[in-house]
Amino acid sequence: MASNQPLVSGSVTLKTQTSNVDRPKKRRVRRARSAPLAHFVPTDANGDDDALLRSESIFGRLNPTLKKVALSLTVIVYMGLGTICFYTIRNQIKGKKTNAILDALYFCVVTMTTVGYGDLVPNSNLAKLLACAFVFTGMALIGLILAKAADYLVEKQEKLLFRALHMYKIDGEIEVLKEVEHNRVKYKFYTTSILLVVFVVTGTIFLYKVEKLDLVDAFYCVCSTITTLGYGDISFSSKGGRVFAVFWILTGTICVAKFFLYVAEVNTENRQRALVKWVLSRRTTSLDLEAADLDNDGVVGAAEFVLFKLKEMGKICKQDISVIMEEFEELDLDQSGTLTVSDIALAQSVETRSS
């Protein structure tokens, strides 16, 4: 857990505006308003705060509407180009065939998702090189684009799921949004779990009814497909089956990936909450006060105590505090221990002159 070390190095100290003599015995704690977002920070179209933590993609600078169009066009271009290429070399692909165009699209999807049943395989050097190229680009496409589409689908279902679970407990849109935001990972996990069950049941029933497999083989094929295991002993062999597979394999494999991602996130969040609960419930000792005393004046203020508790919870670290304090000192040109509008303006003017 947290060690009783000073939160910042000795070179970084907290300045006070008044001396110890003039300081009042009881200080008022002022609660800061939410800080405005900087104009250059990329934001999500839906106002999701998590978007601030995501790395900006190649589409990050586009308008949200244009971004969705660009993502959709990228998927369409990939699928279309793959279908055309594999259709052109259809005679260099061997295996169970149905319709030439459908087989090309089906082979593109199976390659893209790395399922690789083996019912259709490249049979020439050119076909093998094309398969290598499309499997790498397909994996990148799933990671960068289709995963975002899956996130969008899951987030759209969160409020519906929450309303269903708490139909008579919480009223009002604001209360719903607050609860969903507080338990976002948990409800994403619930949503993907339900979607995963739907995909498994749908695929099993389809293989049982259309591909004429028994229930065990149908379930076995579903599991080996959505986990991208793809043994190849059982696969979609009919026209109708491959039309279904084109859509079902794409969505099913991504759903499984998201499911295991949210399992890990839920586990991490539970451990974090357990740590927070322990930090807030344990008694504060004299050693804790010594470690929380940032300016080494023998007195721990509200801000120092909050920083110490945040460090114990793992929300911040000593390096974070040091960097922030250094920035504060750079802005506090008059060394008053406080920041005002004039301080910011003065700091900006100094920066402008130096540049």
Side-chain angles (χ1 to χ4, degrees):
M1 295 300 173
S3 60
N4 293 323
Q5 300 292 330
L7 292 182
V8 293
S9 60
S11 60
V12 181
T13 58
L14 288 179
K15 301 180 180 66
T16 55
Q17 187 175 9
T18 59
S19 64
N20 292 335
V21 177
D22 297 329
R23 184 170 52 196
K25 294 181 180 180
K26 186 174 182 181
R27 291 176 289 184
R28 178 186 297 178
V29 179
R30 295 185 179 180
R31 304 189 184 275
R33 294 172 293 179
S34 299
L37 291 176
H39 68 279
F40 57 86
V41 178
T43 56
D44 189 81
N46 298 323
D48 186 2
D49 290 337
D50 291 342
L52 299 177
L53 302 179
R54 300 171 187 160
S55 58
E56 189 173 2
S57 68
I58 57 176
F59 303 104
R61 297 181 181 276
L62 293 177
N63 178 276
T65 303
L66 293 177
K67 186 188 299 185
K68 292 179 183 178
V69 173
L71 296 177
S72 301
L73 287 177
T74 304
V75 176
I76 293 172
V77 168
Y78 174 88
M79 300 296 292
L81 184 61
T83 302
I84 293 172
C85 289
F86 293 124
Y87 173 79
T88 303
I89 62 169
R90 61 190 180 279
N91 295 327
Q92 301 176 41
I93 297 176
K94 65 178 183 179
K96 302 175 184 178
K97 297 184 179 180
T98 56
N99 176 272
I101 297 178
L102 177 60
D103 288 344
L105 179 60
Y106 169 76
F107 183 74
C108 182
V109 171
V110 170
T111 302
M112 174 188 189
T113 56
T114 70
V115 172
Y117 285 123
D119 51 352
L120 292 175
V121 294
N123 195 32
S124 69
N125 290 336
L126 176 60
K128 291 175 181 178
L129 289 175
L130 277 176
C132 291
F134 273 91
V135 71
F136 279 109
T137 54
M139 291 172 66
L141 191 66
I142 288 178
L144 294 175
I145 297 176
L146 294 182
K148 288 184 177 291
D151 278 336
Y152 178 79
L153 175 63
V154 169
E155 289 170 4
K156 283 293 184 182
Q157 304 304 317
E158 282 179 14
K159 286 193 290 184
L160 294 177
L161 175 63
F162 175 78
R163 289 185 184 278
L165 293 175
H166 304 275
M167 187 174 298
Y168 303 106
K169 296 180 181 179
I170 298 181
D171 298 321
E173 185 71 14
I174 296 178
E175 286 75 11
V176 170
L177 291 175
K178 286 182 178 179
E179 178 64 20
V180 170
E181 181 66 28
H182 181 66
N183 297 288
R184 178 170 293 275
V185 174
K186 182 175 71 174
Y187 286 115
K188 282 185 177 181
F189 169 73
Y190 290 159
T191 304
T192 51
S193 300
I194 294 172
L195 290 175
L196 181 58
V197 171
V198 170
F199 281 122
V200 170
V201 172
T202 303
T204 303
I205 293 175
F206 183 89
L207 287 166
Y208 176 74
K209 293 290 186 180
V210 177
E211 297 290 338
K212 306 303 180 183
L213 301 177
D214 60 53
L215 285 176
V216 174
D217 285 342
F219 180 70
Y220 162 76
C221 181
V222 166
C223 292
S224 63
T225 299
I226 60 178
T227 57
T228 71
L229 189 58
Y231 284 121
D233 51 344
I234 301 176
S235 61
F236 296 87
S237 56
S238 65
K239 283 186 179 181
R242 290 187 174 177
V243 171
F244 173 79
V246 166
F247 302 98
W248 181 81
I249 291 176
L250 275 175
T251 52
T253 52
I254 294 174
C255 183
V256 169
K258 286 293 180 182
F259 171 77
F260 286 111
L261 172 64
Y262 293 140
V263 167
E265 287 189 0
V266 166
N267 181 55
T268 302
E269 188 176 81
N270 288 338
R271 292 175 60 185
Q272 179 65 33
R273 289 186 176 180
L275 175 60
V276 170
K277 184 178 180 181
W278 177 83
V279 169
L280 295 178
S281 61
R282 78 179 188 89
R283 291 186 176 182
T284 303
T285 65
S286 58
L287 292 177
D288 294 330
L289 290 180
E290 182 181 348
D293 188 8
L294 286 174
D295 51 8
N296 298 316
D297 63 350
V299 179
V300 176
E304 293 172 313
F305 187 76
V306 169
L307 288 175
F308 174 73
K309 286 297 184 180
L310 288 175
K311 179 175 177 287
E312 275 198 318
M313 294 174 189
K315 303 287 186 180
I316 57 175
C317 64
K318 182 174 67 174
Q319 289 75 15
D320 296 331
I321 301 173
S322 299
V323 171
I324 295 172
M325 289 301 301
E326 288 173 4
E327 181 183 359
F328 180 88
E329 291 186 345
E330 289 176 0
L331 294 174
D332 185 21
L333 296 178
D334 59 1
Q335 299 184 352
S336 63
T338 60
L339 291 180
T340 62
V341 176
S342 60
D343 290 327
I344 302 299
L346 182 59
Q348 290 176 347
S349 64
V350 171
E351 181 180 354
T352 302
R353 286 198 301 268
S354 62
S355 61

